Amino acid sequence: MSESETTTRCGVVAVLGAPNAGKSTLVNQLVGQKVAITSAKAQTTRARMMGIALHESADANTQMILVDTPGIFAPKRRLDRAMVSAAWEGAEAADAVLLLVDPVKQRRHELEPLLEQVATRPERKILVLNKVDVAKKEPLLVLAQELTGKVDFAEVYFVSALTGDGVAEMKDALAALMPEGPWMYPEDQVSDASERLLATEITREQLYKQLHEELPYDSAVRPEKYLQRPDGSVEIHQQIVVMRDNQRAIVLGKGGSRIKAIGEAARKELTELLGQKVHLFLHVKTDERWSEDKEMFEEMGLDWVK
């Protein structure tokens, strides 16, 4: 078949799940490179970061826009409400809704309301049980049977988002579900996140990785400047915002050692991702009311919700 005769398909897949089910890891696997930040800390994804996965087969070339939605949980604060609102918006107009479940942790208190909401949605629903590399087979099959009894899932897949087991087969099936039509994005684009936003996400990931339980969820990274230098390198200035002075001291570390380590790790990863030399400048600010700042929400790609 010549290139001009090859059918093109393009569609949207919403990736839903309780916090920490492995959604970002799965999106990165499907795309084939990192587009979403991952962390052992729950509720890492804040905005609807999209990944764009390509799939070639004998009869069609397919582009799948993966909407990596924030984990859906019971919202308490304005930031939580904005994230849950973003998650459901991400599921609208999708050609398939993929519900990812961690069979080890399960997080029933968050999974049950999610199942109820997914059950009433009109889109084609796919159940994906994650972590087959560590979960025991018998309980896994029992869980699959129980969940398909509650929701009319069109298909069930068993995968490991971490190792990639079963992901290729699932990707084949997802591509076949996409409607025929022209691609929405250029072939070499893997995400709709701007480089500026991606850079803040990479720094935020390092904050979580390096500070673990010391730094609560109440932190944000703001983009300040993003300048292309004449020598082909990029200069990035970011502000890390925390709520209390003792958190600021934790981020800075003794003699500024911690912020230096965070900056070095983020700069190294950004250099690889952007394919150019990166000069990264970080500073820390205390603002106990940052989570009530409308401008801040817009910078994170979230809608301001009451």
Side-chain angles (χ1 to χ4, degrees):
M1 194 183 279
S2 73
E3 207 156 297
S4 59
E5 290 170 356
T6 305
T7 304
T8 56
R9 294 174 179 273
C10 187
V12 177
V13 179
V15 185
L16 296 177
N20 227 356
K23 296 180 296 297
S24 297
T25 308
L26 183 65
V27 166
N28 291 339
Q29 276 282 3
L30 287 165
V31 174
Q33 71 180 76
K34 182 168 183 161
V35 289
I37 75 165
T38 59
S39 163
K41 210 172 173 76
Q43 299 161 24
T44 308
T45 306
R46 283 189 179 163
R48 297 179 298 277
M49 292 288 281
M50 276 189 197
I52 300 160
L54 303 182
H55 182 275
E56 284 184 23
S57 67
D59 57 347
N61 289 337
T62 306
Q63 186 176 66
M64 287 180 277
I65 291 106
L66 305 159
V67 188
D68 176 30
T69 55
I72 292 173
F73 51 96
K76 296 183 182 70
R77 306 167 301 168
R78 188 194 296 274
L79 177 63
D80 299 340
R81 291 195 293 277
M83 286 164 64
V84 171
S85 160
W88 283 120
E89 270 180 41
E92 281 167 24
D95 296 291
V97 171
L98 195 151
L99 176 64
L100 187 66
V101 176
D102 175 348
V104 182
K105 294 198 178 114
Q106 290 193 29
R107 297 178 76 105
R108 284 284 174 164
H109 60 295
E110 285 152 335
L111 181 58
E112 292 300 334
L114 191 49
L115 286 164
E116 285 169 27
Q117 288 172 294
V118 168
T120 59
R121 297 197 68 85
E123 299 90 353
R124 188 182 183 99
K125 296 177 275 284
I126 294 162
L127 175 64
V128 182
L129 291 169
N130 192 14
K131 303 191 180 174
V132 292
D133 51 325
V134 290
K136 291 188 170 66
K137 193 178 176 183
E138 285 303 316
L140 201 60
L141 296 172
V142 171
L143 180 63
Q145 204 166 0
E146 182 206 332
L147 299 183
T148 49
K150 293 182 176 183
V151 177
D152 182 21
F153 289 109
E155 287 102 14
V156 182
Y157 293 96
F158 299 88
V159 308
S160 167
L162 193 62
T163 66
D165 276 5
V167 174
E169 293 83 350
M170 185 184 78
K171 188 175 178 180
D172 290 346
L174 283 174
L177 294 177
M178 298 299 108
E180 283 189 22
W183 286 7
M184 294 186 203
Y185 293 95
E187 188 173 350
D188 58 353
Q189 191 169 339
V190 294
S191 170
D192 78 333
S194 68
E195 289 178 350
R196 189 182 166 100
L197 180 61
L198 189 63
T200 62
E201 290 286 281
I202 296 293
T203 302
R204 195 159 65 91
E205 181 175 37
Q206 284 303 325
L207 266 179
Y208 289 160
K209 272 186 179 168
Q210 297 200 32
L211 295 171
H212 307 295
E213 301 309 312
E214 294 174 75
L215 187 72
Y217 183 52
D218 304 329
S219 60
V221 180
R222 299 185 81 157
E224 288 184 320
K225 273 192 226 160
Y226 193 99
L227 307 167
Q228 294 290 347
R229 288 186 177 179
D231 65 1
S233 64
V234 62
E235 183 180 320
I236 301 170
H237 293 252
Q238 294 171 346
Q239 181 186 78
I240 297 169
V241 190
V242 292
M243 284 190 165
R244 293 188 295 280
D245 284 334
N246 66 328
Q247 294 172 344
R248 184 174 184 272
I250 289 168
V251 175
L252 288 171
K254 196 173 178 182
S257 58
R258 179 56 65 194
I259 194 167
K260 188 179 176 190
I262 289 165
E264 278 178 10
R267 182 184 54 74
K268 192 178 172 193
E269 186 163 347
L270 278 166
T271 299
E272 281 178 33
L273 270 175
L274 301 173
Q276 61 187 134
K277 190 176 179 183
V278 172
H279 308 273
L280 180 62
F281 299 90
L282 302 176
H283 69 104
V284 192
K285 180 187 173 186
T286 304
D287 178 0
E288 60 185 35
R289 295 188 54 79
W290 76 258
S291 64
E292 296 298 314
D293 182 344
K294 186 177 180 182
E295 196 179 307
M296 196 89 163
F297 276 59
E298 286 165 2
E299 284 173 8
M300 290 193 288
L302 290 169
D303 295 326
W304 181 250
V305 292
K306 295 240 169 1

